[in-house]
Amino acid sequence: MEIYPSPINIPQLLATATAHHQAGRLSQAEQLYRQILQQQPQQVDALNLMGVIACQQGRLDEGIALYRQALALRPGYVSARENLSVALWKQGKQLIEEAIASYTQIITFQPENLQAYHNLGIILIEQGKLDEAISYYLQALSVQPNDAIALNTIGTVLQQQGKATTAIAYHRRALAIRPDYPEALNSLGTALQDQGQAQEAMVYFDRALALNPADASARYNRSLILLADGNYREGFPEYESRFQTREFPPCPFRQPVWDGSDLTGRTILLHAEQGLGDTIQFIRYAAIVAQKGGRIVLTCHQPLMRLLSTVPGIDALVPLGYPAPHFDVYAPLMSLPAILGTTQETVPAQVPYLTPPTENRVDLAIAGSNTPETPRLKVGLVWSGGHLYKKNQSRSCSLKHFAPLLQLPDITYYSLQKGIAQTALAELGWDSQIQELGSQLHDLADTAAAIAQLDLVITVDTSIAHLAGALGKPVWVLLTYLPDWRWMLHREDTPWYPTMRLFRQTQPDDWQGVLDRVSQALLQHHPPTSAAVSL
């Protein structure tokens, strides 16, 4: 007598496998899914769930293949399409366009699928396709008008596009639906900051912190308002929250952060962070740390190595990213004001605290005559910051705005500008009016040597402003309407640099107004000789 195996109850087996899967017993679930597929190779649920296990275990290529197999059998299978879309997204750049296409297919099959709109929007934002992202979030709102997440995200994207006023309206709509929505409270606060409404922004950051005292983004944003207001006693301790936000990676050290105590017999690592200008501004604290005893090792950006080798009290320098020698404690440079209890009244502002190395590789060939009868003022110019800084476009200006300065007599101008912005000299045909030095400046030590030979530096808010200030050189800094926190508000001076003068925009984007005032100030600073007036 022939004996046949008992037929497998596929639905029951699938339910058992799914239960194992949901309980995290992946090997048991996978074994049952395979058993199902041996009996029914076209069982799309098993194919889909096998794909989920593969992706959970990091085998994205295998998972993607299984999802595609399920979709080939059932093109309208939304769950498999959603899983495929996520896997393609995780796989990275080479498959991102397919992920976008996959999510649009989900929306075609299920126009009410809010999660698909949200995920597609996130991908498009990551790809910099902001207008497309907004269009899909608006479609989500047509499905669910009370979707607070979509409203808030639209506002966040509008902020990225510089449309703070419209962004604020969307954030307020999100909060009208969910008053205790922390992300929207933070988003509205930052949008109000972008509009210069700092005190109202503070209200929303405080509300976010009342809901969640561990909200690092709200605490960090709050710190920027306190610091811009000159409240360093509260602001710098709050600023330490930056390392808990996604904006700043934490320091990769196991040693403890220095608490300000005596360092005798110990080595401290001072760790540069953020930009070159930040390091120049806060390296002044090395002298105070040296008074605590111990040995100081500094890790900093490569272009600063030669310049900072002249700082007294630093025993060793290591480029950022290289292994550091043994140390017992460390301190991020921008944490030193909090550690040492800096207030506006106790900012260490003795200048110069940097000096150019004795080896001078930059020679200023002064154009024209320079006699006691017709002394020429030597002025360095910088009109653009580094392009890696996310707000560089707003802090930089076009060289053409400097035209009024070129009409002033008895002044020789030198370009300290580096990077692609150097080409503006040739584009405007100003090569004969402004001597180009950027090609000679290979690091910040070379730039310091050039600045030391000048009478004045006029620059936008970039590392050159800090370098000139640290060298004790007269420096005029051109600031946007809403500048960085360190320049505070409504003042022409700064406690950080005694030789610095600030020229602020009186309305957004008005660089020409700033340069017109600089031109008038230059005329007062260096009046023309009688010989020049008679020409």
Side-chain angles (χ1 to χ4, degrees), residues 79-230:
S79 177
R81 178 73 62 190
E82 288 176 332
N83 292 332
L84 173 63
S85 302
V86 172
L88 292 167
W89 181 8
K90 288 182 178 179
Q91 192 72 315
K93 292 183 179 179
Q94 66 270 29
L95 296 177
I96 205 70
E97 290 302 325
E98 188 179 348
I100 292 171
S102 185
Y103 272 120
T104 56
Q105 281 186 277
I106 293 172
I107 290 168
T108 300
F109 283 110
Q110 284 189 338
E112 74 288 352
N113 191 321
L114 287 176
Q115 192 60 53
Y117 290 113
H118 283 277
N119 289 350
L120 181 54
I122 293 169
I123 294 175
L124 291 169
I125 291 169
E126 290 175 352
Q127 296 300 300
K129 300 177 179 179
L130 303 185
D131 287 332
E132 285 185 58
I134 288 175
S135 72
Y136 280 104
Y137 282 112
L138 289 172
Q139 288 182 54
L141 288 174
S142 69
V143 174
Q144 175 50 268
N146 290 334
D147 186 345
I149 295 176
L151 287 164
N152 185 57
T153 307
I154 290 172
T156 303
V157 175
L158 289 168
Q159 280 180 250
Q160 292 181 42
Q161 295 179 318
K163 302 171 183 175
T165 302
T166 312
I168 287 169
Y170 275 94
H171 296 316
R172 291 194 192 280
R173 284 176 62 188
L175 287 168
I177 295 165
R178 286 177 56 186
D180 292 341
Y181 183 10
E183 288 81 0
L185 290 167
N186 265 315
S187 297
L188 178 54
T190 55
L192 290 166
Q193 272 182 299
D194 289 346
Q195 289 289 83
Q197 301 174 49
Q199 295 312 307
E200 187 179 357
M202 184 70 91
V203 170
Y204 290 99
F205 297 139
D206 287 343
R207 278 179 56 185
L209 286 168
L211 290 170
N212 178 17
D215 188 333
S217 293
R219 198 166 294 284
Y220 168 70
N221 289 324
R222 188 176 184 277
S223 78
L224 300 182
I225 295 175
L226 292 168
L227 292 170
D229 203 37

Side-chain angles (χ1 to χ4, degrees), residues 37 41-51 66-67 69-70 73:
L37 290 169
Q42 296 185 337
Q43 219 293 333
V44 292
D45 293 320
L47 287 167
N48 178 42
L49 293 167
M50 278 276 290
L66 287 162
Y67 297 143
Q69 191 176 343
L73 295 167

Side-chain angles (χ1 to χ4, degrees), residues 3 6 28 77 79 92 108 155 184 203 225 297 300 302 425 508 518:
I3 300 175
S6 302
Q28 293 96 318
Y77 190 3
S79 177
T108 300
V203 170
I225 295 175
V297 176
C300 68
Q302 187 75 50
L425 276 177
V518 168

